[in-house]
Amino acid sequence: MDRHWYALKVYYNRLQPLIEDCKEAGLEFFAPATVTKSLLFLHSEESETLKFVVSKRGKVWLYTQPGSRQPAVIPDREMDVFRFVVTAGHDGLQLLGDDRPEYHVGERVVVTGGPFKGAEGHIKRIKRDRRLIVSINGVVAVATAYIHPSLLKKVTE
């Protein structure tokens, strides 16, 4: 009974009815509605996720591993950081859309203070501001508001 996070692309502005469906089915979910109404994340077994997707045909699309039909599993750590940043309640978040390689240009850092303390991501200059890019590989990337360099520490892996 392995539960993982899975990403669903929501079509035709149907996020709210899908949230209600998740609640009725007793599924754990996360809907980052503050930044986008076209994404829904399910935390469930693969079979439960596939059953949900099939029952909502035409309303959602399941993200899969590149070059495969296997559902893409989102690591818990990536999901935790993404949820933390999106729900921090701070202005200045910018949805960058699909996670693309150009958002990974900067160094990997961790925020050491302020409202995003503990968040990890990559640094990128956007409109002359140094911003933290937090992404879910292959699904979505979001940029925080400006973060002062004194609040950043390079992550050595």
Side-chain angles (χ1 to χ4, degrees):
M1 214 165 87
D2 287 333
R3 293 168 49 91
H4 300 288
W5 284 102
Y6 299 95
L8 305 176
K9 175 82 172 175
V10 177
Y11 293 118
Y12 310 116
N13 200 18
R14 295 188 174 153
L15 183 61
Q16 196 56 46
L18 289 169
I19 288 172
E20 296 305 318
D21 293 344
C22 286
K23 288 177 182 176
E24 281 181 29
L27 293 173
E28 182 181 354
F29 66 92
F30 176 67
T34 57
V35 290
T36 180
K37 304 235 186 283
S38 64
L39 276 176
L40 177 68
F41 297 92
L42 294 181
H43 190 237
S44 63
E45 295 177 26
E46 183 176 326
S47 61
E48 275 184 305
T49 299
L50 293 173
K51 182 179 173 184
F52 183 81
V53 169
V54 168
S55 74
K56 305 302 173 198
R57 181 167 301 192
K59 297 177 184 173
V60 297
W61 175 79
L62 178 64
Y63 282 86
T64 57
Q65 296 174 8
S68 167
R69 294 184 70 144
Q70 282 294 112
V73 173
I74 300 168
D76 288 342
R77 178 71 181 139
E78 272 185 36
M79 194 66 198
D80 290 346
V81 171
F82 181 77
R83 288 176 71 176
F84 170 69
V85 169
V86 170
T87 61
H90 293 277
D91 294 334
L93 285 183
Q94 178 182 358
L95 181 70
L96 301 175
D98 293 343
D99 175 35
R100 296 191 303 265
E102 65 263 26
Y103 299 133
H104 298 273
V105 172
E107 296 179 328
R108 185 145 184 87
V109 297
V110 63
V111 180
T112 60
F116 298 112
K117 182 179 181 178
E120 286 184 34
H122 293 84
I123 291 300
K124 175 91 173 150
R125 283 196 182 274
I126 299 175
K127 296 182 181 176
R128 301 169 72 185
D129 280 340
R130 181 177 287 115
R131 298 172 72 172
L132 179 71
I133 307 300
V134 176
S135 65
I136 294 181
N137 193 18
V139 179
V140 67
V142 66
T144 66
Y146 171 78
I147 296 180
H148 194 275
S150 68
L151 299 176
L152 300 173
K153 179 181 171 188
K154 186 176 176 179
V155 173
T156 54
E157 298 187 48

